[in-house]
Amino acid sequence: MDISHITRITTEAIYTVIKTAAPVLLVSLIVGLTVSIFQTVTSIQEQTLTFVPKILAIFISLILLGQWMMNNLTTFMTNLWGDFSLYIR
């Protein structure tokens, strides 16, 4: 196994992690930005007002996207372990 194989595996792993985590991070970003704008407009500075909606949105997005996320990770690992015989040469 040479450096090109290692680079390809690393690149694919990083891409898989970013692709899998991006939807949940975007939901968190949008909810946090929306709550921050709401707090600025209404002058409410309650700390739990930012925390609770963001946690709820993340839980809902994990419930909705969990199967897709697990499928991405499982596919990556299946491909990685399926090509294991090529890597040990």
Side-chain angles (χ1 to χ4, degrees):
M1 186 158 95
D2 58 350
I3 194 72
S4 65
H5 284 82
I6 296 170
T7 305
R8 184 183 60 80
I9 292 169
T10 305
T11 304
E12 189 177 341
I14 291 172
Y15 176 71
T16 302
V17 168
I18 290 172
K19 182 176 72 170
T20 303
V24 176
L25 293 175
L26 287 174
V27 166
S28 175
L29 175 73
I30 291 169
V31 170
L33 190 62
T34 305
V35 170
S36 295
I37 291 171
F38 176 75
Q39 282 183 321
T40 302
V41 169
T42 60
S43 298
I44 299 173
Q45 297 301 322
E46 179 65 31
Q47 294 297 325
T48 58
L49 189 60
T50 59
F51 183 73
V52 173
K54 201 182 292 189
I55 290 295
L56 290 175
I58 289 172
F59 283 153
I60 291 170
S61 66
L62 285 174
I63 289 169
L64 295 176
L65 298 171
Q67 182 178 0
W68 174 79
M69 293 169 73
M70 187 60 74
N71 190 24
N72 280 342
L73 295 175
T74 305
T75 302
F76 172 72
M77 288 306 297
T78 303
N79 292 338
L80 187 65
W81 284 105
D83 295 338
F84 189 72
S85 64
L86 300 174
Y87 302 143
I88 57 175
R89 283 193 230 167

